[in-house]
């Protein structure tokens, strides 16, 4: 039992740190605030995580592992229904670790490890999206020339990566609050998938419109403000 206590404390520290980073943004959260929220001494926090960067890196490691597992599903996408679920799942993961995307440029400028590892995340995203496009083309859901796949995949990754920043700029006071999560995720998934609209066969394009309408709140669409 004694051996398990430190691991539980370390786990709880990460849980609370993630909550605070997501709520206030990483630059606005100090180790003093984290220890105060946990009701532990700064020395106890330091024992488990001697520097703030270690907290950031530990959270990023969890995100990166989950992202790798999720993006492996990209090759299994065959139609709009699959693509919608896949993209929405990606956005759910991004939302779970939204502080990384909200403060991305600042974090990368200060943390060399994040800089190199996030480049790998981007490459994996692009590879997964490209696999999704190839699968949809093979199944007949998509008509796209091979030379169009790379720029389209890159455009989709750009929206995936910076969608939450766009949401935040539109409404800094409320955009990243938990009650706004579902609609933010739906809007993001819809806009990424909508980049494929010109290439979808007619029945798949119709299905995309139907999906967007089914998940939209009354009187609005997922792309509405």
């Amino acid at each position: 039992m004694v051996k398990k206590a430190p691991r539980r404390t370390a786990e709880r520290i990460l849980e609370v740190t993630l909550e605070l980073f997501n709520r206030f943004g990483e630059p606005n959260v100090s180790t003093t605030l984290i220890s105060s929220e946990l009701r532990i001494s700064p020395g106890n926090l330091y024992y488990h995580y001697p520097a703030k960067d270690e907290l950031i890196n530990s959270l990023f490691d969890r995100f990166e592992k989950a992202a790798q597992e999720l993006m492996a599903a990209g090759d299994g996408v065959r139609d709009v229904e699959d693509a919608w679920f896949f993209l929405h799942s990606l956005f759910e993961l991004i939302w779970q670790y939204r502080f990384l995307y909200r403060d991305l440029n600042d974090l990368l400028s200060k943390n060399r490890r994040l800089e190199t590892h996030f480049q790998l995340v981007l490459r994996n995203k692009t590879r997964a999206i490209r696999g999704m496009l190839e699968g949809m083309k093979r199944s007949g859901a998509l008509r796209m020339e091979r030379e169009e796949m790379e720029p389209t995949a890159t455009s989709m990754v750009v929206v995936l990566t910076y969608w939450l920043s766009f949401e935040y700029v539109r409404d800094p006071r409320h955009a990243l609050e938990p009650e706004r999560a579902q609609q933010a995720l739906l809007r993001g998934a819809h806009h990424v998938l909508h980049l494929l609209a010109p290439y979808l066969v007619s029945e798949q394009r119709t299905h995309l419109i139907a999906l967007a309408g089914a998940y939209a709140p009354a009187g609005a669409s997922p792309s509405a403000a």
Side-chain angles (χ1 to χ4, degrees), residues 27-70:
N28 302 315
V29 176
S30 65
T31 53
T32 301
L33 176 59
I34 295 169
S35 59
S36 175
E37 186 75 14
L38 284 158
R39 298 183 180 178
I40 62 175
S41 68
N44 195 356
L45 178 64
Y46 180 80
Y47 172 78
H48 294 283
Y49 299 97
K52 189 178 178 183
D53 270 356
E54 293 200 24
L55 288 164
I56 295 169
N57 291 341
S58 294
L59 290 171
F60 179 80
D61 286 347
R62 293 183 172 202
F63 164 77
E64 185 176 29
K65 182 176 183 295
Q68 288 174 346
E69 293 173 355
L70 178 56

Side-chain angles (χ1 to χ4, degrees), residues 123-197:
R123 288 197 294 271
N124 286 338
K125 279 184 188 176
T126 304
R127 188 180 301 114
I129 295 296
R130 193 165 54 239
M132 181 186 81
L133 298 180
E134 290 171 352
M136 293 178 73
K137 180 177 179 178
R138 284 195 301 270
S139 70
L142 193 71
R143 294 197 179 99
M144 179 181 287
E145 299 300 324
R146 183 156 297 277
E147 59 269 20
E148 295 175 304
M149 285 193 176
E150 192 67 30
T152 302
T154 299
S155 296
M156 296 175 79
V157 170
V158 169
V159 179
L160 269 168
T161 304
Y162 288 102
W163 179 256
L164 287 185
S165 293
F166 174 71
E167 290 278 340
Y168 182 73
V169 170
R170 291 203 312 170
D171 187 3
R173 294 180 182 273
H174 307 106
L176 302 187
E177 293 300 316
E179 61 271 15
R180 300 294 185 94
Q182 190 60 22
Q183 285 307 310
L185 299 178
L186 291 173
R187 283 193 294 268
H190 176 262
H191 277 275
V192 173
L193 195 51
H194 193 73
L195 291 171
L196 298 185

Side-chain angles (χ1 to χ4, degrees), residues 57 60-61 63-64 68 108 111-124:
N57 291 341
F60 179 80
D61 286 347
F63 164 77
E64 185 176 29
Q68 288 174 346
L108 297 185
N111 189 314
R112 175 62 178 166
R113 185 172 181 276
L114 250 64
E115 179 186 343
T116 56
H117 278 251
F118 212 92
Q119 290 172 358
L120 177 61
V121 169
L122 287 181
R123 288 197 294 271
N124 286 338

Side-chain angles (χ1 to χ4, degrees), residues 1 40 87 99 109 196 218:
M1 295 298 295
I40 62 175
L87 292 171
F99 83 93
S109 70
L196 298 185

